[in-house]
Amino acid sequence: MGISRRGLFKAGTAAAGGAVLVGYQSAAHATDAPPRLPQGIRPYRELYKNWDGAIVAAELWSYDVRNAQEVVTLANWAHANGWTIRARGYRHNWSPLTVAEGTPATAKVLLLNTTKHMDSCYMHGTTVVAQAGISMNSLVRHIADRKRGFTNMPAPGDVTVAGVLAVNGHGTALPARGEKRQQGATFGSLSNTVHALTAVVWDEASDQYTLKTFQRTDPEIGPFLTSMGRAFLTEVQLQTNPMEHYRCRTWTHISVRDLFAAPEKAGHWSLSSMIDRVGRVGLIWYTFTDKPWIQQWEVAPRRSFGSRPTITPYNFPFADRLPSPVPELLGQVVAGNQHLAPAFSKAVYATTATSLTTTLARDMWGPAHHFQHFVKPTTLRVSAGSHVFITRRDQLQRVVHEFTEFFSAKLKEYQDRGEFPINSCMELRITGIDDPGEVDVEGAVAPSLSGIAPVPGRPELDTGVWLDVLTLPGTPGQEKFFQELEHFIGLELTRYGVARPEWAKRFAHTERGAWTDEYQLKELIPSLVPGWDHAKATFHKYDPHRIFTAPLHDAMGI
């Protein structure tokens, strides 16, 4: 199309780092349409662009799939004609599990958009049955109207439920000390709430693709619970818990010295102490600042005096309408003036601290999902490299202390050379693991490919520390920085547990970019995920013709 990736990003951030172009449709031409399509299937051309704009593909063939049976029909068409089909949701992802950067318009790929029609749900007792394309916004509103909720889910609401399950999307939640888990609650990822799911699979007996429903007790369901996009789900059944209310307090005055102190020096404001008190803590630490933005959610059935009641989710509007001088500084950084990165981060911090007060967002109270959802489509689009580190809860403070010490030292090292590869922030989320014991189904199977799947023989490793580093797309030097960060997490921190990549984000870095380290992709990562071989065999059984694959799946041999 003659539009560069950098050009698209600049166009999307010029106003204020807000909304960016996420797709462009054009009419299909009969002369170049996919061959021998089933009757009634009328695809269109669409530019594919992911969340941060780092993956841009030419006008690919897309279709707004209407129901599960139509997915089956197209799966059999794809097999017969040498094509692949990929589920396409809201494209709120970073990794090329759907489309690879630069995929040409001639590629035999048909994207099936599930968000237009496969977006309904209904309650079945205390579980919710949802079609694959329903957004988390809609799903959560539906169950909240029935006084139900989830303990852990991602911050953005513009993601499909199937997309969340593909990458074991999570939030931030551990039980506070002494807290009793509610029936239906799980402190792992959303993958751990699944009771049953329906997927499109190859049936050897009938020699065709068909629908198959897997129950949570079926040993073969494990790979589908966190599929990495290697399967096409059409419907899921999820357990819910009684809706909780949270008191959300936000802090910007606590220094990193106190928050990330060494365990022997940890006090009242250390991260581990805060989690012990309330269980649910998330933080955003803007680079080149010394006081993170901390969100603390405390289970509170009744509103405390002074807490502002909330009406809807997304209670931080300043995150989407950054005032001057933030947009101007952002524009300068995007334009290549990387030395302004510290000034940009400090301006964002100052805006956050001031706006939390002026919008009365320092102390709020409402249903849990009002705070669990806080990232909107208009939030600044940044690239993210992330790993989860599985450790003992009593080692949590040690892990974050050593990681943040390394992160700070590495930023300083680059800064001293006049380089600023990380110009956004670092985020920390803390969860439990995907413990089958928290599923209300006896004999439940663990998600095979979950980043927080239990570590065999290590039951003491019960806590997931999600280490997420973010920077503007295309920032010079980020590949090398992420590579060094991965080596530290995978070598130094492993004294305290096990590191795994977050499938939705960037991983396996070399200086050539993410997903280019062949050793990690083919050997190291499979060795760190205990269900890898089982998942590989299961996917081969149920998709032997590999019609549900992207190039990253091929690179990882799964």
Side-chain angles (χ1 to χ4, degrees), residues 13-17 322-351 380 423 472:
T13 57
L322 296 171
S324 182
V326 178
E328 291 84 352
L329 286 167
L330 171 61
Q332 289 290 318
V333 174
V334 171
N337 296 309
Q338 295 298 320
H339 65 280
L340 293 176
F344 168 64
S345 293
K346 290 172 183 177
V348 175
Y349 166 78
T351 296
L380 177 65
N423 48 34
L472 294 173

Side-chain angles (χ1 to χ4, degrees), residues 60-73:
L60 300 176
W61 285 106
S62 300
Y63 176 67
D64 299 336
V65 68
R66 288 171 288 193
N67 52 55
Q69 190 54 54
E70 202 166 58
V71 180
V72 172
T73 298

Side-chain angles (χ1 to χ4, degrees), residues 389-459:
F389 193 80
I390 309 171
T391 189
R392 300 197 323 246
R393 181 163 175 161
D394 63 2
Q395 292 281 19
L396 164 63
Q397 189 68 27
R398 173 65 64 188
V399 169
V400 297
H401 170 70
E402 295 200 10
F403 176 77
T404 54
E405 286 286 298
F406 176 84
F407 180 72
S408 296
K410 191 57 62 175
L411 278 180
K412 180 67 165 55
E413 176 187 322
Y414 276 76
Q415 186 178 15
D416 289 344
R417 297 200 301 260
E419 300 174 16
F420 302 88
I422 307 299
N423 48 34
S424 181
C425 64
M426 184 196 76
E427 295 188 11
L428 283 179
R429 302 286 183 263
I430 313 296
T431 67
I433 62 171
D434 282 336
D435 180 2
E438 293 180 348
V439 182
D440 296 338
V441 174
E442 187 175 352
V445 173
S448 304
L449 298 176
S450 168
I452 46 174
V455 180
R458 302 287 302 277

Side-chain angles (χ1 to χ4, degrees), residues 289-303:
T289 67
D290 62 355
K291 295 181 179 66
W293 172 17
I294 303 168
Q295 296 181 50
Q296 176 182 286
W297 307 335
E298 182 178 4
V299 177
R302 296 177 180 82
R303 182 169 71 91

Side-chain angles (χ1 to χ4, degrees), residues 216-234:
R216 189 60 188 264
T217 53
D218 187 336
E220 291 187 319
I221 197 176
F224 293 92
L225 296 172
T226 298
S227 70
M228 293 174 57
R230 184 61 179 83
F232 201 120
L233 307 190
T234 61

